[in-house]
Amino acid sequence: MTASPLPDTTARAAAARRLSLFGFTVEVKALLTVLGAFAVTRLMVMFIIFVSSTVIPMHQGPFLYSDPNNLVLDGLVRDDSWWYTNIATRGYSIGSIERGEQGNVAFFPVYPLLVRTVMGLTGNVFVAGILVSNAAFLVTLGYLYALARREFDD
């Protein structure tokens, strides 16, 4: 009696749908789903920033980065990015009550450290911050997909 070729064929087909990246084995379907969600959300965010920046003028201020030459980058680099930029470029500071300076020690150190590291490659703290944020979002999407798949069993 000979063994059926079906189990071997099924095992090969399952292996063909897997991909090895950076020492991790991932399914092609999962990778495409996560990358698709990443691309769609990034395009939506950029579109909304561009449209809102052209319709509603940006508020100018000392702690707001406004670059009318690049509306999308300007929309992404706002508000607390000043604090993270300050930490990544100058380090932490307690501040001074006498001089009216605020401290920046309330911010956790991992993000500014990663931005500082990537800034060494890009030469621009804002681009480095956007790259680190998007990489973290992509990893989070991967974990969210894995969690949903585990909970709802695809």
Side-chain angles (χ1 to χ4, degrees):
M1 185 176 280
T2 62
S4 171
L6 186 61
D8 186 36
T9 306
T10 306
R12 264 192 254 140
R17 292 178 287 199
R18 294 185 179 274
L19 185 64
S20 182
L21 291 171
F22 306 111
F24 296 101
T25 303
V26 291
E27 292 181 18
V28 173
K29 178 186 173 191
L31 183 64
L32 292 176
T33 302
V34 168
L35 289 176
F38 178 79
V40 167
T41 57
R42 300 302 86 192
L43 288 173
M44 286 173 41
V45 166
M46 285 189 266
F47 177 75
I48 291 169
I49 288 172
F50 180 75
V51 169
S52 66
S53 296
T54 55
V55 174
I56 305 167
M58 293 281 193
H59 176 71
Q60 305 285 332
F63 299 114
L64 300 175
Y65 295 99
S66 183
D67 181 8
N69 298 324
N70 191 338
L71 294 178
V72 174
L73 179 64
D74 184 52
L76 292 171
V77 181
R78 288 270 162 185
D79 301 320
D80 280 347
S81 63
W82 183 87
W83 291 104
Y84 287 111
T85 300
N86 190 1
I87 295 167
T89 56
R90 297 189 184 122
Y92 282 96
S93 169
I94 290 181
S96 171
I97 294 175
E98 293 84 25
R99 292 188 301 245
E101 296 174 354
Q102 291 182 336
N104 58 12
V105 294
F107 295 90
F108 291 107
V110 174
Y111 181 75
L113 182 63
L114 290 172
V115 169
R116 176 79 177 201
T117 303
V118 175
M119 186 178 71
L121 301 172
T122 64
N124 186 323
V125 68
F126 301 122
V127 173
I130 290 170
L131 288 175
V132 168
S133 296
N134 280 303
F137 180 62
L138 185 59
V139 169
T140 302
L141 279 176
Y143 277 108
L144 182 62
Y145 180 87
L147 177 65
R149 185 140 181 219
R150 180 176 157 188
E151 289 295 318
F152 299 110
D153 195 32
D154 185 36

